[in-house]
Amino acid sequence: MPRTLLDWLEVKLTTNLTQPLLNLRVPPPRRPGVGPVVAWAEGPDGEVEAACSRGRIEIRAVTSRIWRVIVAGPGTPPYRSESVVCLETHPLRAQAAGGGTLRIAGEEPGLGALVEERTGRLEFHFAGRILHRDSAPPSSRRGWVASRKRSPEPELYLGFGEKTGGLFHNGRRRIMWNTDNADMGRRSDPIYQSCPLQIAVRSDGSAHALFFDNPHYAVFRVGGEGPNPETRYAAAGGPLVYYVLAGPTLPEVLEQLTLLTGRSPLPPRWMLGHHHSRWDPEESQEKVLATAREFRRRGLPCDAIHLDIGHMEGYRCFTWSRERFPDPAAMVRELHAQGFRVIVIADPGIKRDPDYALYREGAARGLLCTDRRGRVHHSPVWPGPAAFPDFTLPEARSWWGRQFRGYAELGIDGFWIDMNEPSVFTARRTVAPGVRHRGEAGQSGRPGTIGHRSVHNLYGLLMARATREGLDALVPEGRPYLFTRSGYAGIQRYAGSWTGDNRSSWEHLRMSIPMLLNLGLSGQPLVGPDIGGFLGRPTPELMARWLELGALYPFCRNHTSRWSLPQEIWSFGPDVERIGRRYLELRSSLLPYLYTLAREASRRGAPILRPLLYEFPSDPACQSAEIAETQLMLGPHLLAAPVLAPGIATRRIYLPAGEYWQDWWTGECLPGGGHFEVEAPLDRLPLYVRAGAALPLTDPSPNSDEAAGRPIRWRVYPAAAISGSLYVDDGVSMGYQRGECSLLGLQGERRAAEIRVRIEREAGGLSPVLVRHPGLAVERVELSGGTPRRVEVDPERLPWEGSWAG
Ligand code: MIG
């Protein structure tokens, strides 16, 4: 058999067969419930505590609309979270309600719970409707914990972080076990990240969610499509903990989730530009510089160049190959001079090599994961046998964080952390369950006593935390960018994500939409897959379509594997290059809008890419899978309906109700609330602006720094009500935290033949009009589809007022 075929078979067998079997854990069919309530009381922090015959139930209001339930049984350890950062408590009251139930109420009228005293089963209701009720008593004991909940109404289920397949999880099994699935497809589960978050959306568009905060291996049997869907959840360790996020709208669910698990900090503006990457077996300084020069020579927008593991000396992290990267400082200088930022990869596997200082130090100081007997554990990865930092240990985290000093001194601008499931080259694809971690002081009685299984799903999150904290200490006044492959709920506090090793196929192009939408709904706004696909070679047609959609990904990076051919935009011929240029320029001109969206995500948790139902919750068409999975909103104003199959020149699209939608390319206005067959030749991404939008735009530039030096045009799409916002700051420093920023709101209305707009400062200390700093100036407000006859704007004063008489 040819070698490549053998390799392929091996990957298939280990990832699709052996790996799931070796990691599989099957919840027992039934476990005894927590037992009848024997006593209850209101606790000192306003929580309600019910003592049951086999454990206890604690209910606490974190905010008036976020309630936490802990069911602790015999032998379950205390609850501790790496994910939740909000520790407020609001008072709850308990009251016997007759019929053997206990009624629990808090500050939010209409949100409450009933406890069935005979069984400990809970029912939650909000605004006169039942959210869910336990269909079996909650169970929490040593070993597995379990919960079953039924909804009285049909629901669509979203969330669960990074998953392949479709947007809705109804009827699916969802496994929480971070896995380097080297050959993922529509049905692969689990993959790199875990997020035990189930969002429910009802037919009227109302939304609520359950977040089961538990990093153990867990299985969801997600409720199906019937009238009373039941979701079964079980995790291989306790206690049973879940948060009820009451909504009642999707934006509020996101606000609640990200209040709880934290928000993605404002990225540097250049992060929103176009990134280029390649895992090149012959990666070298010369090749990197040649690629960068080619981008500039061709005038294609590009903001960042990424270095993969080929830059290291024998895959030793934090080293440079002397032969291939003889002068990294000179390389970084030249890249910076050409307007590129530089991103470098880091892997957790530390080569077993007594001459490698990092390994020696990690081993000597006890900062590496061990086996049961306390000896350093090794598993094979790229450098051969390697050891793994014990990121559960605070000293190991700060040690790891300090390793980035050399990169920081060179001026490296960002980092990607990979292989942090952790992924190893054995049939199990991760380190053995016998591997031990030490944890925070006091977390385990003795050092080295936390089994890997209890922290496996946290390894990527903790590596991201270590890296983020290290970078923040090394570059306190900057915003070094970090993104990760593995993660757990809350990862957005430390890092953005890319979605791992996809394929150059139409299926993966299509799958990227629901994947990114669900990541966004799980609290992660800054996400993107490898544009063009990591494994395999896209046809020119697929590459063109991917560049069109990719221009709207929050994280826009072209990346490919060592087994693929070069995937630079120009390597597919002049047609693809022309199309690539057009869409990268589109992205570049949208930068003020994208940056405003990233700022909104950092404040309220709102995703950048949104399913249509986020913006149009009560439009039933937006809940149909076909529309919800193949169309998307970029923020509140732009709707795209990308082409996701070969050989297509027109596509059927749905435009939700609204005054009109304006075609980005032709300016034609289509009425809202209907299906249309629209032109979609190879160079056309169907893209529409919502009536009433005020879209901040700029002229396309080779990189975002230059774009930021250009004036902003605020384009108004007239409608009865007009609104938009614009956030500006210097894009790179932490000055925005001291008020060196400006958030402007544009409001307007159309009355008869006149359109009036008014711009006001909503936050921040800078007036972008008065401070004529490049990139902070709004040059003009323009009207889409016409030239105003009269514009009354006083550019020297805020608020602005302008009007068009037409
Ligand atoms: O085992 O660093 O997903 O983006 O190029 C492969 C080499 C290791 C996997 C990442 C991919 C990266 C590659 N890495």
Side-chain angles (χ1 to χ4, degrees):
M1 250 193 275
R3 182 71 226 168
T4 44
L5 194 58
L6 281 174
D7 285 348
W8 179 79
L9 268 177
E10 193 188 320
V11 166
K12 278 278 177 201
L13 284 175
T14 52
T15 60
N16 295 354
L17 213 68
T18 331
Q19 181 280 118
L21 275 178
L22 286 172
N23 289 324
L24 182 70
R25 309 197 64 191
V26 186
R30 287 242 176 235
R31 302 265 287 171
V34 69
V37 176
V38 291
W40 57 266
E42 290 169 5
D45 293 337
E47 75 276 22
V48 171
E49 170 100 37
C52 301
S53 66
R54 285 184 294 268
R56 61 183 186 87
I57 303 174
E58 182 202 295
I59 307 173
R60 176 185 293 262
V62 180
T63 72
S64 60
R65 288 190 188 174
I66 305 176
W67 286 23
R68 181 183 82 185
V69 177
I70 298 181
V71 183
T76 58
Y79 171 55
R80 233 187 128 265
S81 181
E82 291 293 341
S83 178
V84 167
V85 287
C86 175
L87 302 168
E88 294 169 33
T89 355
H90 289 235
L92 291 177
R93 292 176 315 279
Q95 201 180 29
T101 59
L102 193 61
R103 182 186 303 280
I104 300 169
E107 291 168 342
E108 174 73 38
L111 175 61
L114 288 177
V115 185
E116 185 182 60
E117 293 184 64
R118 191 172 52 82
T119 60
R121 294 193 307 169
L122 267 74
E123 174 186 293
F124 280 86
H125 44 88
F126 188 28
R129 289 155 96 179
I130 294 172
L131 296 181
H132 35 70
R133 72 162 65 105
D134 285 334
S135 42
S139 166
S140 184
R141 0 187 66 210
R142 182 178 295 287
W144 289 80
V145 301
S147 160
R148 292 185 182 196
K149 291 188 180 287
R150 206 176 263 292
S151 157
E153 295 180 40
E155 293 179 326
L156 291 169
Y157 295 112
L158 299 103
F160 291 106
E162 187 195 61
K163 291 289 177 198
T164 65
L167 184 67
F168 304 126
H169 300 284
N170 292 63
R172 307 290 296 267
R173 188 184 63 178
R174 288 307 187 204
I175 295 179
M176 306 292 121
W177 185 255
N178 295 352
T179 301
D180 178 3
N181 190 316
D183 187 30
M184 64 177 171
R186 265 188 83 75
R187 275 169 231 292
S188 304
D189 181 66
I191 57 169
Y192 310 95
Q193 304 198 354
S194 297
C195 182
L197 167 78
Q198 173 171 301
I199 301 176
V201 173
R202 293 186 171 174
S203 56
D204 64 350
S206 65
H208 61 100
L210 281 165
F211 169 47
F212 289 87
D213 186 19
N214 186 332
H216 289 94
Y217 183 102
V219 185
F220 285 84
R221 295 271 178 186
V222 183
E225 276 159 13
N228 307 120
E230 183 194 50
T231 293
R232 301 179 181 186
Y233 162 83
L240 174 65
V241 179
Y242 61 85
Y243 292 82
V244 175
L245 314 181
T249 65
L250 213 37
E252 284 165 290
V253 166
L254 263 292
E255 247 185 288
Q256 292 155 4
L257 173 72
T258 55
L259 180 78
L260 209 54
T261 63
R263 295 183 176 133
S264 162
L266 188 66
R269 188 174 37 215
W270 59 263
M271 176 266 149
L272 296 164
H274 168 229
H275 299 238
H276 186 82
S277 183
R278 165 95 211 266
W279 179 22
D280 184 339
E282 275 112 42
E283 193 166 353
S284 73
Q285 181 169 335
E286 258 332 293
K287 284 182 93 173
V288 167
L289 287 170
T291 306
R293 289 182 200 124
E294 201 56 25
F295 268 102
R296 293 296 176 248
R297 197 177 72 73
R298 292 174 188 262
L300 288 160
C302 188
D303 260 282
I305 295 279
H306 294 218
L307 302 188
D308 208 321
I309 49 177
H311 80 278
M312 303 174 189
E313 184 71 61
Y315 300 121
R316 287 172 192 81
C317 270
F318 310 109
T319 65
W320 293 92
S321 153
R322 253 184 255 133
E323 192 191 318
R324 283 169 296 109
F325 288 81
D327 194 350
M331 176 189 71
V332 173
R333 264 198 311 278
E334 176 172 346
L335 288 170
H336 281 170
Q338 292 190 38
F340 290 96
R341 309 283 172 161
V342 188
I343 290 191
V344 170
I345 195 169
D347 283 2
I350 299 176
K351 186 180 176 68
R352 173 157 78 186
D353 172 0
D355 295 329
Y356 177 27
L358 192 68
Y359 177 81
R360 265 201 328 266
E361 203 180 300
R365 295 184 47 197
L367 304 175
L368 306 173
C369 297
T370 66
D371 63 15
R372 285 198 176 83
R373 288 199 238 148
R375 295 173 306 202
V376 174
H377 167 84
H378 299 99
S379 278
V381 227
W382 289 108
F388 295 82
D390 182 0
F391 292 114
T392 67
L393 201 62
E395 305 90 84
R397 287 201 294 270
S398 46
W399 172 71
W400 172 265
R402 284 196 301 275
Q403 305 308 317
F404 289 80
R405 158 159 291 147
Y407 288 146
E409 282 167 1
L410 282 174
I412 305 287
D413 307 273
F415 299 89
W416 50 315
I417 50 176
D418 185 22
M419 303 294 280
N420 48 352
E421 292 71 29
S423 170
V424 306
F425 299 160
T426 62
R428 195 186 288 277
R429 300 308 304 263
T430 194
V431 298
V435 165
R436 314 311 279 175
H437 301 259
R438 286 167 66 189
E440 313 271 335
Q443 186 182 346
S444 61
R446 285 174 298 127
T449 52
I450 305 172
H452 180 70
R453 279 173 165 171
S454 298
V455 291
H456 173 80
N457 285 339
L458 296 176
Y459 195 81
L461 177 93
L462 291 170
M463 180 185 184
R465 175 175 172 189
T467 311
R468 178 85 267 160
E469 289 173 354
L471 295 175
D472 288 347
L474 287 165
V475 197
E477 267 306 304
R479 300 184 217 166
Y481 190 63
L482 176 65
F483 68 102
T484 180
R485 192 169 74 176
S486 187
Y488 177 74
I491 185 67
Q492 67 276 3
R493 299 199 297 272
Y494 309 122
S497 294
W498 93 103
T499 56
D501 298 348
N502 60 353
R503 274 192 173 279
S504 304
S505 71
W506 292 95
E507 185 197 33
H508 275 261
L509 172 68
R510 184 185 173 102
M511 206 159 74
S512 72
I513 299 175
M515 239 174 142
L516 299 192
L517 295 177
N518 270 326
L519 278 164
L521 293 176
S522 306
Q524 290 198 62
L526 303 175
V527 288
D530 292 347
I531 293 174
F534 179 74
L535 299 165
R537 162 88 170 162
T539 61
E541 184 187 10
L542 175 59
M543 191 66 195
R545 292 301 192 189
W546 215 319
L547 287 163
E548 292 170 16
L549 172 56
L552 307 185
Y553 290 152
F555 176 47
C556 171
R557 179 178 81 145
N558 178 343
H559 180 54
T560 191
S561 81
R562 63 189 294 177
W563 303 287
S564 316
L565 294 169
Q567 206 159 280
E568 282 76 36
I569 294 168
W570 52 83
S571 47
F572 298 85
D575 282 350
V576 174
E577 184 178 343
R578 177 178 56 82
I579 294 168
R581 177 189 317 278
R582 173 193 273 204
Y583 286 87
L584 294 176
E585 288 181 350
L586 164 71
R587 183 178 183 90
S588 172
S589 59
L590 288 173
L591 197 66
Y593 178 58
L594 281 169
Y595 194 47
T596 304
L597 292 173
R599 193 263 179 191
E600 196 189 333
S602 76
R603 303 297 291 240
R604 301 196 312 121
I608 293 177
L609 276 191
R610 307 169 180 178
L612 268 54
L613 57 84
Y614 184 96
E615 291 291 330
F616 303 93
S618 55
D619 183 338
C622 298
Q623 297 199 355
S624 93
E626 178 58 26
I627 292 167
E629 288 174 5
T630 66
Q631 298 189 196
L632 49 94
M633 298 292 299
L634 179 65
H637 300 321
L638 286 174
L639 179 150
V643 172
L644 304 168
I648 281 179
T650 64
R651 117 145 244 194
R652 192 173 144 83
I653 63 162
Y654 176 73
L655 296 175
E659 245 182 75
Y660 65 86
W661 292 84
Q662 189 177 94
D663 186 309
W664 179 267
W665 308 108
T666 65
E668 184 194 358
C669 289
L670 294 172
H675 291 270
F676 301 89
E677 192 76 24
V678 300
E679 300 290 311
L682 186 58
D683 60 0
R684 174 87 58 90
L685 165 75
L687 180 65
Y688 297 87
V689 189
R690 189 176 179 175
L695 208 54
L697 301 168
T698 188
D699 292 329
S701 305
N703 64 43
S704 62
D705 288 338
E706 282 191 36
R710 310 215 166 156
I712 293 167
R713 287 169 283 124
W714 214 334
R715 191 184 292 165
V716 168
Y717 296 77
I722 301 162
S723 72
S725 52
L726 168 63
Y727 173 78
V728 281
D729 66 14
D730 69 9
V732 287
S733 81
M734 299 304 275
Y736 72 94
Q737 293 189 335
R738 298 182 293 267
E740 291 159 26
C741 62
S742 191
L743 177 66
L744 302 183
L746 185 153
Q747 305 295 328
E749 67 273 321
R750 184 189 51 212
R751 278 206 218 104
E754 196 185 55
I755 297 155
R756 296 200 136 263
V757 300
R758 188 180 166 81
I759 299 175
E760 282 187 352
R761 183 163 63 228
E762 293 179 353
L766 292 187
S767 153
V769 184
L770 298 176
V771 181
R772 288 223 172 258
H773 184 284
L776 299 183
V778 177
E779 181 197 51
R780 63 175 191 268
V781 179
E782 62 184 33
L783 190 65
S784 160
T787 339
R789 248 199 293 146
R790 181 165 55 88
V791 188
E792 294 167 8
V793 224
D794 179 354
E796 296 305 323
R797 285 221 327 268
L798 271 179
W800 274 10
E801 273 197 60
S803 67
W804 286 270

